[in-house]
């Protein structure tokens, strides 16, 4: 089983619908992140959380919200989806801000908004 | 603004050596990362450089020059499975990662 699990893996929805992407991890890491990836662009940080009580906006948080339900769970919501939110979304975890601070990614959730 | 530049696509031959360059302009520097991403899959960590010089790990090496804002990833003895995108990322003064768009490496037999 993957250490960082995302559901759903693929989702097609319509404009205006509410969508939730879920992420759970078994690595025991405190730090969790949500990124989106678009063709030709670098990964863009949406939100991040350094512990259950800590939520921070990333560079492209508009139109998104998150919930850190437990150390192991971090959900991303699109309250009213729009077509330019069509992208590949990755959840990631890390155990350290220092040193290598290696990120461990989930397998991705491909979202299409029609 | 902050910027990471890397070539969009490169082609190399199986068994050969390829160097993928990355130049950066960021607000501060707290390390540079290389990740590998196969098509449709998640990125996976390859290397981390925080001091100038070469870090070698098997067939992969990564070099950093902080004064030049430059890094490269060197892949030796290329194999077909090395066909992937290679992502360069820099951790800035706020410990945020700034990502390049990635270099798609195509390996030909």
């Amino acid at each position: 089983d993957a250490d960082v699990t995302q559901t759903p893996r693929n989702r097609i929805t319509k404009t205006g619908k509410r969508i939730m992407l879920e992420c759970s991890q078994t690595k025991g890491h405190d730090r969790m992140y949500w990124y989106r990836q678009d063709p030709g662009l670098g990964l863009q940080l949406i939100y991040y959380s350094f512990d259950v009580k800590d939520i921070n906006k990333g560079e492209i948080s508009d139109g998104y919200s998150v919930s850190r339900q437990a150390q192991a769970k971090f959900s991303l919501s699109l309250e009213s989806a729009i077509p330019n939110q069509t992208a590949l979304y990755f959840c990631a975890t890390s155990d350290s801000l220092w040193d290598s601070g290696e990120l461990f990614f989930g397998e991705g959730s491909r979202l299409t908004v029609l | 603004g902050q910027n990471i530049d890397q070539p969009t696509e490169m082609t190399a031959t199986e068994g050969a050596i390829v160097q993928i360059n990355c130049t950066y302009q960021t607000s501060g520097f707290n390390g540079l990362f290389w990740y590998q991403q196969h098509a449709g899959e998640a990125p996976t960590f390859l290397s981390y450089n925080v001091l100038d010089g070469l870090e070698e790990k098997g067939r992969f090496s990564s070099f950093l020059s902080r004064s030049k804002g430059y890094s490269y990833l060197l892949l030796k003895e290329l194999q077909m499975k090395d066909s992937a995108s290679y992502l360069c990322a820099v951790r800035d003064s706020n410990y945020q990662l700034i990502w390049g768009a990635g270099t798609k490496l195509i390996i030909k037999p």
Side-chain angles (χ1 to χ4, degrees):
Chain A
D1 287 343
D3 293 324
V4 184
T5 304
Q6 293 182 227
T7 55
R9 295 289 312 280
N10 287 283
R11 182 71 182 268
I12 300 173
T13 191
K14 294 181 179 180
T15 297
K17 295 291 188 182
R18 184 177 186 273
I19 295 297
M20 178 179 286
L21 306 180
E22 298 185 333
C23 178
S24 62
Q25 53 114 346
T26 58
K27 299 193 74 66
H29 292 167
D30 286 326
R31 295 173 174 82
M32 297 188 74
Y33 309 79
W34 275 105
Y35 284 95
R36 68 176 276 174
Q37 187 174 42
D38 297 276
L41 297 179
L43 288 164
Q44 295 175 280
L45 183 63
I46 307 172
Y47 272 95
Y48 61 102
S49 169
F50 285 171
D51 65 41
V52 175
K53 298 181 180 179
D54 177 75
I55 301 289
N56 303 280
K57 292 182 177 180
E59 55 190 305
I60 57 161
S61 59
D62 287 349
Y64 301 94
S65 63
V66 291
S67 173
R68 185 79 184 267
Q69 301 95 324
Q71 186 208 35
K73 296 184 182 296
F74 192 36
S75 300
L76 177 71
S77 293
L78 289 68
E79 296 301 325
S80 180
I82 56 177
N84 76 1
Q85 290 177 314
T86 293
L88 182 58
Y89 291 85
F90 285 105
C91 174
T93 74
S94 71
D95 67 352
S96 175
L97 192 60
W98 320 112
D99 300 322
S100 72
E102 175 183 351
L103 289 174
F104 296 87
F105 287 86
E107 295 172 312
S109 296
R110 186 169 296 281
L111 176 65
T112 302
V113 184
L114 301 176
Chain B
Q2 307 202 90
N3 194 51
I4 309 287
D5 285 319
Q6 47 181 134
T8 303
E9 187 174 296
M10 299 181 70
T11 301
T13 303
E14 189 177 16
I17 299 172
V18 70
Q19 177 175 311
I20 302 173
N21 296 326
C22 171
T23 58
Y24 63 89
Q25 292 178 310
T26 56
S27 301
F29 178 85
N30 282 295
L32 184 142
F33 300 79
W34 284 96
Y35 281 77
Q36 181 190 58
Q37 185 178 23
H38 286 100
E41 298 183 8
T44 55
F45 173 80
L46 284 178
S47 68
Y48 167 71
N49 294 71
V50 67
L51 298 177
D52 290 351
L54 189 68
E55 295 280 343
E56 297 185 79
K57 190 185 295 185
R59 293 189 300 114
F60 292 9
S61 303
S62 56
F63 171 83
L64 174 67
S65 169
R66 289 172 295 170
S67 63
K68 295 182 179 178
Y70 168 70
S71 172
Y72 67 74
L73 181 68
L74 192 70
L75 291 73
K76 301 176 183 177
E77 301 171 13
L78 286 170
Q79 302 176 9
M80 297 303 293
K81 67 178 182 180
D82 297 329
S83 292
S85 288
Y86 292 86
L87 313 180
C88 175
V90 173
R91 190 161 58 193
D92 68 11
S93 57
N94 294 318
Y95 282 83
Q96 296 298 328
L97 277 177
I98 312 301
W99 295 83
T103 298
K104 182 178 180 180
L105 178 62
I106 299 168
I107 309 296
K108 294 186 174 181

